[in-house]
Amino acid sequence: MVMQEMEHQNVLPSSPQPPQQRTYLGSSAVVFITSFALLVPAASTHTTLSARGGNNQSQLVVEFTYIQGAAAKGAVCLDGTLPGYNFHPGFGTGANSWLVYLEGGGWCNDIKSCLERKGGPLGSSIHMEKPYNFTGILTNKAQENPDFFNWNKVVVRYCDGACFAGEGEHEKLGLQFRGQRIYTAAMEDLMSKGMRHADQALLSGCSAGSVAVILHCDAFNSLFPRPTRVKCLSDGGLFMDTVDVSGGHHMRSLVHGVVSLQGVQRILPRSCTSRHDPVFCFFPQNLINYVRTPLFVLNAAYDYIQIQAGIAPNISDTNGKWNNGCKLNIANCSASQIKILQKFRNRMVKAVQGFSAKTQSGLFINSCFAHCQADSQDTWLSEKPPLIDNLGISLAVGDWYFDRSRVKKIDCPYPCDRTCHNRISKTSPY
């Protein structure tokens, strides 16, 4: 099975290019955001800017830059092509602040799925759609992103299929599992271009990128001298090792394939792998307890990707009871299905209890049928954003990052929250 980004992909098609609320901005900073992914067939294409909503002409669209010298370090995409990023310089009080987004796009967990990905935009920079639309926490409009609007912004593109964490290759089939090297090459390049002078830093991301954030958070912290403020934001990546509707562990099987095929176990925390199986240590619900750097977890309690791909994937939903209603629109769920979803929410809430007790941790778990909420303008900051206790996501993250207040928010169970931006689908690929 291939896990691949669709819903949160902010890109415009382009021909491949040859390698070449309130404002609190008293100090410079770096934010790293990664995006995890939707789980969809490899043949699927990225959604267009119009699919994300809004007037394309008023949005910030940023061009692509190849990471020169990456190939010499073995830092290449699945097909061996050069990786790259989209960079927009900061200005004013944000000129020495950095906000970096590590793009997500799911996983490939076996040879077949990796070969399929190799020929597409999430496995090759040849096929990658180059310009990228910066919205939500990435936008440069003060009224839409008051805390981070004028920072340097970078989206590091995702083309390895293992959360920027793989290390290995399949020489015969021409597959390069070099996610860890891509991440390192990108960090080295950005540090040489001024990021080393940042006063503050935040590593964050959505979905697959969220997993990458948690995996790299402490190592990212080590890049900067002690005075630097370093924190991490995980958005939509609290993937749970849950039981599916057939009584199996479909998500666990997928994770096992990714970890074993792409050699991800090499970068998992030894404090975890010395006591547990590497698959256990890859799941974010477990990983967050091993992160020493301040971390903010933003997640929907009824994450529709986890429902569609983990709780009721087609392979487990053999009678199709979930496929024609509940998986597509939570309002269509039966009483028995809602009961299953409430158990899933309760497991998620229980999983973050120890993490939430940490003084420097941040938490915002709303009761929405959603997936990733910081990189989309309507959920990040809009006229009617999702709220918990009248607190929106943008202000919650800003308050936590700048130490304006402690943020530990868990919503009441569905359907209590009337501010949610619940997703409604026509079909599910899972």
Side-chain angles (χ1 to χ4, degrees), residues 52-217:
R52 289 300 300 274
N55 182 350
N56 292 354
Q57 293 182 346
S58 68
Q59 296 176 353
L60 177 61
V61 179
V62 180
E63 297 301 320
F64 182 85
T65 300
Y66 287 95
I67 301 175
Q68 301 297 335
K73 302 174 183 178
V76 293
C77 300
L78 276 171
D79 69 339
T81 55
L82 279 180
Y85 54 74
N86 300 67
F87 169 69
H88 186 268
F91 57 92
T93 57
N96 291 321
S97 303
W98 291 72
L99 191 159
V100 182
Y101 181 109
L102 290 172
E103 183 187 31
W107 309 319
C108 61
N109 65 304
D110 55 28
I111 293 298
K112 181 178 182 293
S113 61
C114 288
L115 285 174
E116 291 173 347
R117 177 179 288 249
K118 174 184 173 182
L122 288 172
S124 169
S125 59
I126 292 176
H127 302 290
M128 196 177 286
E129 298 168 339
K130 299 301 192 299
Y132 202 100
N133 178 27
F134 284 23
T135 63
I137 196 173
L138 292 168
T139 186
N140 64 343
K141 298 178 182 178
Q143 68 274 21
E144 297 178 351
N145 189 23
D147 281 317
F148 311 112
F149 74 98
N150 61 352
W151 292 15
N152 295 281
K153 299 180 180 73
V154 183
V155 174
V156 181
R157 305 300 291 274
Y158 183 49
C159 62
D160 68 276
C163 302
F164 293 93
E167 178 57 48
E169 66 178 331
H170 194 299
E171 186 175 0
K172 183 177 180 180
L173 296 177
L175 287 171
Q176 302 293 319
F177 305 131
R178 304 298 187 185
Q180 175 65 34
R181 298 192 193 193
I182 292 172
Y183 174 83
T184 300
M187 297 305 101
E188 291 174 350
D189 194 58
L190 294 174
M191 293 291 276
S192 72
K193 292 181 177 178
M195 195 175 74
R196 68 178 63 197
H197 302 300
D199 296 328
Q200 303 181 118
L202 174 66
L203 176 65
S204 179
C206 151
S207 197
S210 239
V211 180
V213 166
I214 301 167
L215 287 170
H216 292 293
C217 186

Side-chain angles (χ1 to χ4, degrees), residues 7 26 41 52 68 108 112 137 157 195-196 201 221 229 251 256 261 294 327 358 373 376 379 385:
E7 189 69 18
R52 289 300 300 274
Q68 301 297 335
C108 61
K112 181 178 182 293
I137 196 173
R157 305 300 291 274
M195 195 175 74
R196 68 178 63 197
N221 191 352
R229 181 197 301 250
M251 187 64 72
H256 179 271
L261 176 66
K327 276 169 62 170
K358 296 181 179 180
Q373 300 173 89
S376 181
T379 47

Side-chain angles (χ1 to χ4, degrees), residues 217-219 221 269 271 288-295 358 360:
C217 186
D218 288 335
N221 191 352
S271 54
I288 57 175
N289 297 314
Y290 292 87
V291 177
R292 299 182 301 276
T293 304
L295 172 67
K358 296 181 179 180
Q360 294 181 303

Side-chain angles (χ1 to χ4, degrees), residues 253-264:
S253 176
L254 292 175
V255 168
H256 179 271
V258 176
V259 172
S260 59
L261 176 66
Q262 298 218 36
V264 175

